[in-house]
């Protein structure tokens, strides 16, 4: 999964522009409507009075979220850093952000590795789901782990006995959420949890991560017997994970309970866990929509309402996507973001 997604020449994200949008494989929230980024900017700008005046974005895609946030920013935002390991995506982002006026474009800076200190607001949209996972299978004879091997000119799965670390972890999950049927298959996002700890270790500020996923009891429920690991190509999700390596996306849903434990282990404070709809509604997306001059236009207004519906609908992104927000060394007291989190908080599920 690491190689298929992130190989510098042949990995999926090295394809750059081809990944995103209607002509690519999937559409992210910022691509649907500028209201997504503008609403987040409305909630984030006041926080820059409480922490270093910088936003650090991971997984910036085509740069659309950065474009919309920086366009709405005021003098409270001094810097916008994009951490990007893909040269192909970096050039796409630079092209997107070229639309900014010079004085705003000068705030944007690219980094190809994690900075030593994360001071400010750390933002990620659909980042954690793209971290490589370990795939396991529960059998009466013990826990197995999936490996990939080359056979002739194609790839095949090979299941081997799990190492001690994975065996202990999966056995603990089974004790909590089983019994599972023989052959029950799922994932452990060990690298995702490690990323959350790393972000929190060096944090002085606030982290906002938005992604699709579940709390742990639902993630490992007995009926979810084939896990969440999926491939996506041309807007169609499927389970042929080994087909066309480097030409299809590979993702797994986020275990938000595990992310919560990881951030607290690193000294972070959970501020809230809400649905995407709850976060955006709490930050006033409907008020911003009412102010759009295109709202009454038959075509542009229709596109705007369609994007808004996808972002907020319980049957779509509104419920499937969640926002996990945490802090370290910064108080969110009485901020617009804290009010939105408190109004729609689902932390009790974690």
């Amino acid at each position: 999964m690491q190689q298929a997604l992130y190989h510098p020449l042949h990995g999926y994200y090295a394809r750059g522009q081809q990944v995103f949008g209607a002509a690519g494989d999937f559409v992210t929230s910022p691509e649907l409507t500028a209201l997504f980024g503008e609403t987040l900017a409305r909630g984030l700008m006041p926080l820059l009075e409480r922490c270093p005046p910088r936003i650090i974005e991971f997984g910036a895609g085509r740069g659309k979220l950065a474009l919309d946030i920086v366009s709405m920013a005021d003098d409270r935002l001094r810097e916008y850093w994009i951490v990007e390991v893909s040269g192909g995506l970096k050039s796409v982002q630079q092209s997107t952000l070229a639309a900014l006026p010079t004085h705003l474009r000068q705030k944007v800076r690219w980094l190809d590795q994690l900075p030593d200190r994360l001071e400010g607001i750390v933002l990620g949209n659909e980042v954690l789901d793209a971290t490589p996972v370990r795939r396991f299978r529960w059998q009466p004879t013990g826990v197995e782990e999936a490996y990939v091997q080359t056979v002739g000119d194609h790839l095949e799965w090979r299941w081997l006995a799990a190492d001690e670390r994975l065996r202990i972890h999966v056995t603990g999950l089974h004790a909590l959420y089983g019994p599972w049927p023989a052959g029950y298959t799922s994932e452990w996002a060990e690298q995702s949890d490690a990323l959350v700890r790393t972000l929190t270790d060096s944090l002085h500020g606030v982290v906002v991560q938005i992604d699709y996923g579940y709390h742990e009891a639902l993630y490992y429920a007995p009926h979810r017997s084939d896990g969440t690991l999926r491939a996506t190509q041309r807007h169609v999700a499927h389970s042929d994970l080994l087909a066309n390596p480097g030409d299809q996306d590979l993702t797994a849903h986020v275990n938000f309970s595990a992310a919560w434990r990881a951030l607290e282990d690193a000294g972070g404070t959970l501020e809230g866990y809400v649905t995407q709809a709850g976060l955006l509604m709490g930050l006033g997306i409907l008020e911003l929509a009412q102010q759009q001059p295109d709202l009454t236009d038959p075509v542009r207004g229709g596109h705007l309402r369609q994007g808004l519906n996808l972002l907020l609908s319980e049957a779509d992104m509104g419920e499937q996507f969640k926002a996990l927000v945490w802090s370290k060394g910064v108080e969110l007291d009485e901020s617009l973001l804290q009010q939105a989190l408190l109004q729609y908080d689902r932390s009790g599920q974690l």
Side-chain angles (χ1 to χ4, degrees), residues 57-273:
E57 185 183 359
F58 289 78
R62 292 200 308 166
K64 184 63 166 59
L65 180 57
L67 174 68
D68 294 334
I69 290 179
V70 176
S71 295
M72 288 285 289
D74 52 34
D75 291 340
R76 288 175 289 188
L77 177 65
R78 304 285 180 81
E79 296 178 301
Y80 196 106
W81 292 357
I82 296 176
V83 180
E84 183 54 70
V85 298
S86 167
L89 285 180
K90 178 180 176 180
S91 63
V92 172
Q93 293 158 8
Q94 290 173 329
S95 177
T96 299
L97 290 162
L100 288 170
T102 301
H103 73 286
L104 293 179
R105 194 166 64 246
Q106 290 174 343
K107 297 185 178 187
V108 184
R109 172 185 169 194
W110 277 265
L111 306 177
D112 57 9
Q113 62 183 3
L114 190 71
D116 293 333
R117 291 281 295 164
L118 292 172
E119 297 177 322
I121 298 171
V122 179
L123 183 60
N125 182 64
E126 296 193 48
V127 173
L128 297 179
D129 68 86
T131 54
V133 298
R134 301 180 70 176
R135 198 176 196 210
F136 67 81
R137 185 165 68 183
W138 179 263
Q139 297 283 37
T141 54
V143 181
E144 299 175 338
E145 181 170 12
Y147 288 79
V148 178
Q149 65 178 5
T150 303
V151 179
D153 61 353
H154 66 282
L155 301 176
E156 290 185 359
W157 292 109
R158 185 180 181 193
W159 291 92
L160 301 175
D163 60 31
E164 188 72 359
R165 179 178 173 82
L166 180 60
R167 185 189 66 79
I168 291 173
H169 183 77
V170 172
T171 301
L173 292 173
H174 179 264
L176 289 171
Y177 308 116
W180 296 329
Y184 180 94
T185 302
S186 193
E187 312 86 36
W188 179 23
E190 186 178 29
Q191 290 192 31
S192 176
D193 301 343
L195 175 59
V196 170
R197 280 191 294 272
T198 298
L199 295 179
T200 312
D201 278 337
S202 59
L203 177 67
H204 176 74
V206 180
V207 179
V208 179
Q209 291 291 319
I210 302 173
D211 222 316
Y212 45 88
Y214 311 107
H215 58 275
E216 192 166 83
L218 187 55
Y219 198 109
Y220 293 115
H223 73 272
R224 201 177 300 284
S225 58
D226 193 35
T228 71
L229 187 58
R230 296 291 181 270
T232 303
Q233 193 167 27
R234 304 297 180 265
H235 301 274
V236 176
H238 62 88
S239 58
D240 192 356
L241 305 173
L242 302 185
N244 307 315
D247 288 327
Q248 62 180 8
D249 192 22
L250 298 174
T251 69
H253 282 53
V254 177
N255 176 354
F256 284 106
S257 301
W260 165 53
R261 291 193 296 268
L263 73 90
E264 291 209 326
D265 286 346
T269 299
L270 179 68
E271 298 289 352
Y273 171 62

Side-chain angles (χ1 to χ4, degrees), residues 15-30:
R15 300 167 64 214
Q17 182 79 17
Q18 303 174 53
V19 170
F20 304 96
D25 295 317
F26 56 86
V27 177
T28 61
S29 295

Side-chain angles (χ1 to χ4, degrees), residues 329-348:
V330 173
E331 299 291 339
L332 268 64
D333 293 346
E334 299 181 1
S335 64
L336 180 60
L337 178 60
Q338 188 190 58
Q339 292 173 30
L341 295 172
L342 290 175
Q343 184 177 359
Y344 295 97
D345 188 40
R346 292 190 179 184
S347 296

